[in-house]
Amino acid sequence: MGAGSSSILGTEGDGGAHETGLGDLPESCIAEVMLRLDPPEICRLARLSRTFRGAASGDFLWETKLPKNYTYLLEKAFGVKGRELLRGRKEIYARLCRRNPFDGGTKEFWLEKYKGRLCMSISSKVLLITGMDDRRYWNYIPTKESRFHFVAYLQQIWWFEVNGEIEFNFPPGIYSLYFRLHLGRATRRLGHRICSTEHVHGWNIKPVRFQLWTSDGQHALCHCNLDEPGRWIRYHVGDFIIESAEVATKVKFSMKQIDCTHTKGGLCVDSVLICPKGLRQGKVFPPC
């Protein structure tokens, strides 16, 4: 029974049954099955046998898993010689699933490994922050809790405004944009995380206004009170749709609280995240 469940036996009278295993299947048949699987599932099947491993290495298979504009992404990450550095489509997919910094390391993109969809993170260092040049209000502080190793920290200000933009050839799809924020200043002491909230104030009086605009006329707006000191929270600004990767799309985004009847402070601004709509939080970031 056990052998029969995992193999096909020859007909009776053959002078000894011939046992056929999964490894005897034609490589082309295995590849057809793999076309319908996600990349992690393909890699697990590749461990079964040499035939499965060969089918899992075919360029035509991985071409279907890559975004259609993957050559643009390679050039963005590695320059004009990107296509020469990585030849096999499987190798290209694996490399694009890692962190790929660009624009001097202030931005990075990667593919989430399950569906090959694009994600992006933008450092606070390239955001236009009102009052950033005055250390009485803002300063950059080092931290291991940011992918970019620094966050912008607000001590106190009357006019709170942060703006930014990105122009990029996004693969087609629906994307969500978030600000990653933290109330309080986190440090480590004797191996323990400690959060100081001495500067946190003013965020429960009026909500922050979040907005985004795209170069093709899309717009999203929401209002949200900042809360839960001591936790990094992704505040959803809105969604936008990309129809084609052939044309670069400019996305502008902002958050404001400009009611000057009161001050606000104690806020860390880490980054802006752009990812496919509905992607679960645990599947967003690749290994550091």
Side-chain angles (χ1 to χ4, degrees), residues 75-275:
E75 290 182 4
K76 198 73 175 174
F78 303 105
V80 293
K81 294 184 178 181
R83 280 183 257 184
E84 300 174 9
L85 293 174
L86 303 167
R87 300 185 182 277
R89 300 298 185 271
K90 181 180 179 181
E91 185 182 2
I92 291 172
Y93 188 91
R95 188 60 188 87
L96 291 179
C97 284
R98 302 176 200 162
R99 297 170 60 182
N100 295 286
F102 64 103
D103 285 359
T106 58
K107 307 179 183 77
E108 60 184 31
F109 72 85
W110 62 94
L111 303 181
E112 56 88 15
K113 65 181 181 180
Y114 294 93
K115 299 292 184 182
R117 295 174 295 178
L118 183 92
C119 302
M120 180 180 295
S121 189
I122 303 167
S123 169
S124 60
K125 287 215 167 184
V126 291
L127 303 180
L128 182 60
I129 302 175
T130 300
M132 189 72 231
D133 295 333
D134 193 328
R135 293 178 66 86
R136 292 175 301 172
Y137 306 128
W138 289 91
N139 55 73
Y140 287 109
I141 59 174
T143 176
K144 293 182 179 179
E145 297 187 1
S146 169
R147 302 172 66 78
F148 299 100
H149 309 297
F150 282 88
V151 297
Y153 180 68
L154 170 65
Q155 295 190 78
Q156 178 173 290
I157 205 165
W158 295 89
W159 185 289
F160 172 74
E161 183 173 1
V162 179
N163 296 281
E165 64 179 48
I166 179 70
E167 187 169 7
F168 200 84
N169 289 56
F170 292 92
I174 304 177
Y175 293 86
S176 296
L177 188 144
Y178 303 84
F179 276 93
R180 186 172 186 258
L181 309 176
H182 183 285
L183 285 178
R185 180 171 179 171
T187 57
R188 297 197 72 83
R189 186 176 303 166
L190 300 176
H192 297 282
R193 185 180 190 269
I194 299 173
C195 181
S196 170
T197 59
E198 62 175 320
H199 295 136
V200 177
H201 69 283
W203 303 109
N204 58 344
I205 300 174
K206 290 285 183 69
V208 174
R209 182 174 67 180
F210 296 93
Q211 290 192 86
L212 74 78
W213 306 261
T214 65
S215 51
D216 61 358
Q218 300 177 67
H219 176 245
L221 167 68
C222 72
H223 295 82
C224 185
N225 285 96
L226 306 188
D227 54 13
E228 297 189 59
R231 291 184 56 223
W232 284 105
I233 297 177
R234 293 186 339 203
Y235 289 89
H236 184 212
V237 179
D239 304 327
F240 61 95
I241 301 172
I242 300 295
E243 300 286 354
S244 171
E246 300 300 319
V247 180
T249 300
K250 179 178 285 189
V251 183
K252 295 184 177 181
F253 40 86
S254 73
M255 59 176 173
K256 299 179 182 179
Q257 216 291 26
I258 55 177
D259 183 347
C260 292
T261 61
H262 66 282
T263 62
K264 36 264 172 191
L267 177 69
C268 289
V269 179
D270 173 38
S271 58
V272 170
L273 172 68
I274 300 174
C275 64

Side-chain angles (χ1 to χ4, degrees), residues 37-110:
L37 302 178
D38 292 338
E41 295 172 324
I42 293 172
C43 292
R44 284 195 292 270
L45 282 180
R47 303 190 190 113
L48 292 179
S49 71
R50 183 179 300 174
T51 306
F52 276 76
R53 188 161 55 251
S57 300
D59 277 353
F60 83 96
L61 170 64
W62 289 97
E63 186 91 24
T64 66
K65 307 302 178 184
L66 285 162
K68 294 190 181 301
N69 67 335
Y70 71 87
T71 54
Y72 165 83
L73 300 178
L74 280 175
E75 290 182 4
K76 198 73 175 174
F78 303 105
V80 293
K81 294 184 178 181
R83 280 183 257 184
E84 300 174 9
L85 293 174
L86 303 167
R87 300 185 182 277
R89 300 298 185 271
K90 181 180 179 181
E91 185 182 2
I92 291 172
Y93 188 91
R95 188 60 188 87
L96 291 179
C97 284
R98 302 176 200 162
R99 297 170 60 182
N100 295 286
F102 64 103
D103 285 359
T106 58
K107 307 179 183 77
E108 60 184 31
F109 72 85
W110 62 94

